Amino acid sequence: MAGRVIAIDGPAASGKSTVARSVASAVGFLFVSSGHFYRALAWGTVVEGIPDEKLNDWVTESPLTVEDKENTISLLLDGKDATPHLSDPEVAAKVSQIATFPCMRDFVNSRLHALAEERDLVMEGRDIGSVVFPATPWKFYLDASPEERARRRARQGDEDPIAERDRLDSTRVTAPLVIPEGSIVIDTTHLSLEQVVDAVIARLGNIEPLNP
Ligand code: CDP
């Protein structure tokens, strides 16, 4: 890995993406949601009707491409921007199931590693500090009570089976959701966004902010 990676993991609706975006903008790193990759792939399998037994072939010739423009990552499927579809109910219902397949994880991990070759990143997900970038010295695990996480997701107005996703994410064989070794655990249940962001930034130590 050529760039630096700040890894932020945690269960669904624990605040990872909002916190990761704010930290990224504070330190001048690129924000990357690894979940968006799984969601874009899930959208592709829904749209194209790919059965589980064809996932390996499909992802090997994957129509998913990554566009890194103006400090934002866009994921294109057959050239079409997947962004408007990432929170579709069919995608939320399918994503954790397709994320159990090693072929899907290998595909996403290769794209995440390629990004880290080029850029400093704040990357959020389920296995960033444990599997994808285990050597990074900046690892955080955000958590919140299940009730608070359900409230947060409901406030966003999305139909999202977070309890079922958490169950699949924590029990799968390949790269299950765990607290990565050496990570700083932050319980965000009673904290504001600003408090969590400040707590993360305070622990970054020797990272030079590019936009102080
Ligand atoms: O925003 P939220 O935490 O609810 O979900 P997300 O980060 O968009 O991730 C959606 C799903 O993708 C997760 O529930 C996992 O099944 C999968 N995922 C994964 O397996 N590994 C990652 N590094 C990131 C996401």
Side-chain angles (χ1 to χ4, degrees), residues 16 34 38-39 96 99 105 126-127 153 165 169 172:
K16 299 181 306 291
S34 58
Y38 290 101
R39 286 174 182 269
S96 294
R105 308 206 68 82
R126 299 291 187 290
D127 60 346
R153 194 45 49 103
R165 287 204 287 120
D169 294 346
R172 67 182 174 224

Side-chain angles (χ1 to χ4, degrees), residues 149-166:
R149 294 190 291 107
R151 266 195 298 274
R152 289 177 188 173
R153 194 45 49 103
R155 269 202 301 270
Q156 290 170 333
D158 293 331
E159 199 180 306
D160 187 354
I162 63 172
E164 175 61 5
R165 287 204 287 120
D166 283 346

Side-chain angles (χ1 to χ4, degrees), residues 10-13 16 35 38-39 92-101 105 125-127 130 141 149 160-179:
K16 299 181 306 291
Y38 290 101
R39 286 174 182 269
K94 180 122 197 250
V95 60
S96 294
Q97 191 241 330
I98 64 118
T100 62
F101 285 81
R105 308 206 68 82
R126 299 291 187 290
D127 60 346
S130 56
Y141 184 91
R149 294 190 291 107
D160 187 354
I162 63 172
E164 175 61 5
R165 287 204 287 120
D166 283 346
R167 190 188 66 74
L168 283 169
D169 294 346
S170 306
T171 57
R172 67 182 174 224
V173 175
T174 310
L177 172 66
V178 291
I179 298 177

